[in-house]
Amino acid sequence: MVPPSGRTGGRRPGPGGPDDRHATTGTGRGGERDGPDDVGDHGGDGGDGRGGRGGRGDGERDTDAGYLRERDPRDGLTRAERRGLRLAWWSGAVPVLALYAWVLMAGRWAPLQRQYFDDFFDIQARAFLNGRLEVPDGSVGFEGFLIDGKTYLYFGPVPSLIRLPVLAVTDRFDGRLTTLSMLVATVLLAAAAFRLACVVRTMVRGDEPVGRRERRAWAGLAVAVLAAPPFFLASGAIVYHEATIWGVALSVAALDAVARWQRAPSGWRLVGATALITGAVLSRQTLGLGPLCALGLAGLTLALARWRGGATNAERPGGAAPDDDREGDRRRVLTRLLPALALAGFVPLFLSSYLNYAKLDQWFGLPMDRQIQSLWTGGREEVLAAHPNFMGTEYVTTTALQYLRPDAVDLRSDFPYLDFPRTGPTLVDEDAAFDALDWSSSIPASAPALTAVTLAAVVWTVRTRRRRAFADRLSPLLVGSLAGGVSVLLFAYVANRYLNDLYPFVLVGGLVGFMAAGQAARARWRPALRGPLVGAAGMLVLAGLLVNLVLALEYQRERGPVVPEAWRAEWARWRVDMPGAREPLRVALDERLPPVADGGLAVVGDCGGLYVGVRDRWLGVERGPDVGVYEVRLDVDALPVGDRVPLLTFRDDEHTTVLGAVRLDDGDVRVDVLPPEWTEPEWVLGSPVPLDGTVTLRASTDPRQLTASIQHGSTVLNPAQLGAPGRWDEVLVGQAPDREGVRAAFPGVEPVPFEPGLCEDAVG
């Protein structure tokens, strides 16, 4: 759109000038005065000192009332400009979202899939429906907290509340909503980031019209924003990632609401910002603190300006306000603005802390000494002795180095050619006792484009602060988002998902830097310089996409804590088929595996088992009966209700172990284990799971693995140790010796033949 030529002024509009009054057309609702901190910051906001029209004389701007009325006071864009930018944004965002969905569903169209630790929010929602905060004992594994004999979850309630409409009418989807929930949250993140980008654009570039080149650039901006730390969360549809992605999405939406309230303050916009901040805090508390700090800083800036009388001066072209008007402004600050801000900050903090107290018996933090993992597994004594809430300043040197280092990606000679730092995080303070140092990259490595422009934006904002009022508008967003992420540096835990706590800062900084660079490119950059810079920016965007895609797949298929063996086998298949594949180690059946070679493969016997080295462990990739792994297939619909039938019986000279399945009255299936006779055995009951149709169950007695269990896909049916030597004298399928509580035979079970195709390809 080409604006009509308008009247020009010989001076540059400053705070309270007539041009600022034009920029706030329609914003003085609800009895609020529109002062210098309420204006749209149009005109004079250009990074080159020219007028906001990008290239016209100093202080020039369009004063045509009709043209100004077309612009939305909240983001400074016309409807046509916003539509064009939205189309460009989603043209870049949709392919990234589709790739995110593909990774999240593990390469399968399975929006209702099951993964490990994916039903916590369903369990919490069921408790809410029953009027309770506590969840059933044993339902959330080691993540529960035991308080006065009851089990509680520490995760925020928002993902559970979102499920309530579905769970209130059916239990069909219990444990199957995590993937859909994360997809919805990621789309919300994309939409919120677009809205925030529109507001930041006007803060930086004023009412400069949107050109075709800028619209194309917004497609790349969308890729840079989404192909960043949030993309890694697609590595698993699990409770940790779901809580984080909702925290990120609602925090970005809250930052947008704060920015829009800054531009056009009103009571309803403040209520909306408070609601979004509350949602973010109740999803992931640390992330919600960022927009809360931003709102506080923005409110204090506005209050200070009104206290000084700037609002009244801005409305009076004749000069300073009379003393009675200034006193009226000050009374409104004390009686309306500050109380409203205090209430807006109190609501999310009170709700979060009160819920924490109601569940965990303390207002802030987590009583880690009462977590089930601390009570049952041990190994945390040193950390608990130093910091019962797992937070301390001595962790900062290690976490800051890991999360901020630019080289937190390693190159490797075989597929996927990129990897996490192979040695893991570097422990800087040897006296700092960490609970865990998980695989992690860094902000510069996983968001290179946003990091680069954030560094430029910080410098640019500081340098222009004294000359332009819009720098004051940006400071609350930048400082607030940074404050929300700093707390993650205090954790006694390093993990790649924690990069998302720092993400809002590089998002805001990246948007500021992008808008400033676009204005500089239009006003000052020569075409010979513009091309290489745009090319370099494009390379950084593609690098971020590649890094996050590879790391998400690597964590999902190999380096994560719980990886189904079938997924690990798919990943190894890609590695074997791609250039650079390494020759596997060969180990005899009666030999132990050698020291671990991270990323290497080891073959046991004549392809009896194939293993991959992951840090300090050998993990199974393709295993069969020679190494103690057996699979059986059965139709669970044919199982008799309440009558245990045999699946497998393992025998040698000293041991007999029986696996039996029973179908419960509600239709769920349970797999139980009867240990050897000399242990004075009782049946070890498994966890009931909803199964139907023909399924394949796997029993592992492999002594080369740390754990042995019975599984269906990635679901552990019974974690009981089978007490096996790995190679049995006899294995019976569908039969059991004379034991109490199990039938002698069940013909509906058949063995699944072992086909070591991947191993054979690996050895050539």
Side-chain angles (χ1 to χ4, degrees), residues 72-94:
D72 191 320
R74 294 166 296 182
D75 62 17
L77 296 171
T78 67
R79 184 173 300 177
E81 288 174 337
R82 191 183 304 105
R83 186 185 307 115
L85 292 177
R86 182 183 295 113
L87 180 62
W89 176 275
W90 287 106
S91 68
V94 168

Side-chain angles (χ1 to χ4, degrees), residues 4 41-42 47 99 138 154 173-174 234 257 361 385 518 520 589 593 650 659 688 704 746 748:
D41 295 317
H42 302 316
L99 189 60
Y154 68 91
F173 302 109
D174 283 29
D361 201 28
L589 277 174
L593 289 170
F650 303 112
L659 277 62
R704 297 172 179 84
F746 182 67

Side-chain angles (χ1 to χ4, degrees), residues 636 641 663-669 689-692:
V636 297
V641 176
R663 190 174 186 183
L664 306 178
D665 292 338
D666 61 2
D668 287 355
V669 176
V689 295
L691 297 176
D692 55 62

Side-chain angles (χ1 to χ4, degrees), residues 67-147:
Y67 180 70
L68 289 172
R69 278 196 298 270
E70 291 181 6
R71 295 189 170 273
D72 191 320
R74 294 166 296 182
D75 62 17
L77 296 171
T78 67
R79 184 173 300 177
E81 288 174 337
R82 191 183 304 105
R83 186 185 307 115
L85 292 177
R86 182 183 295 113
L87 180 62
W89 176 275
W90 287 106
S91 68
V94 168
V96 180
L97 292 173
L99 189 60
Y100 177 93
W102 177 80
V103 176
L104 183 63
M105 292 184 279
R108 303 159 179 83
W109 179 247
L112 297 177
Q113 64 178 322
R114 293 297 306 270
Q115 292 191 24
Y116 77 98
F117 280 12
D118 59 357
D119 60 350
F120 286 19
F121 289 122
D122 302 85
I123 294 170
Q124 182 68 82
R126 288 288 175 202
F128 288 161
L129 290 174
N130 293 325
R132 301 192 311 267
L133 289 176
E134 70 271 15
V135 298
D137 293 343
S139 61
V140 293
F142 62 80
E143 285 292 0
F145 283 75
L146 289 180
I147 309 295

Side-chain angles (χ1 to χ4, degrees), residues 657-730:
T657 301
V658 182
L659 277 62
V662 58
R663 190 174 186 183
L664 306 178
D665 292 338
D666 61 2
D668 287 355
V669 176
R670 193 183 69 215
V671 176
D672 303 332
V673 176
L674 184 66
E677 301 92 322
W678 56 267
T679 61
E680 298 181 0
E682 293 183 357
W683 285 94
V684 179
L685 304 184
S687 301
V689 295
L691 297 176
D692 55 62
T694 301
V695 300
T696 299
L697 306 181
R698 162 178 286 212
S700 173
T701 66
D702 185 358
R704 297 172 179 84
Q705 300 286 266
L706 295 177
T707 59
S709 59
I710 301 95
Q711 292 180 268
H712 169 61
S714 60
T715 302
V716 176
L717 306 179
N718 195 319
Q721 297 290 321
L722 300 182
R727 292 177 61 83
W728 300 91
D729 295 335
E730 185 179 27

Side-chain angles (χ1 to χ4, degrees), residues 50 60 62 92-93 114 171 195 202 317 545 620 626 635 674 731:
R50 306 181 195 181
E60 283 190 340
D62 177 26
R114 293 297 306 270
D171 59 1
R195 287 172 55 86
T202 300
L545 177 61
D626 283 353
D635 182 1
L674 184 66
V731 179

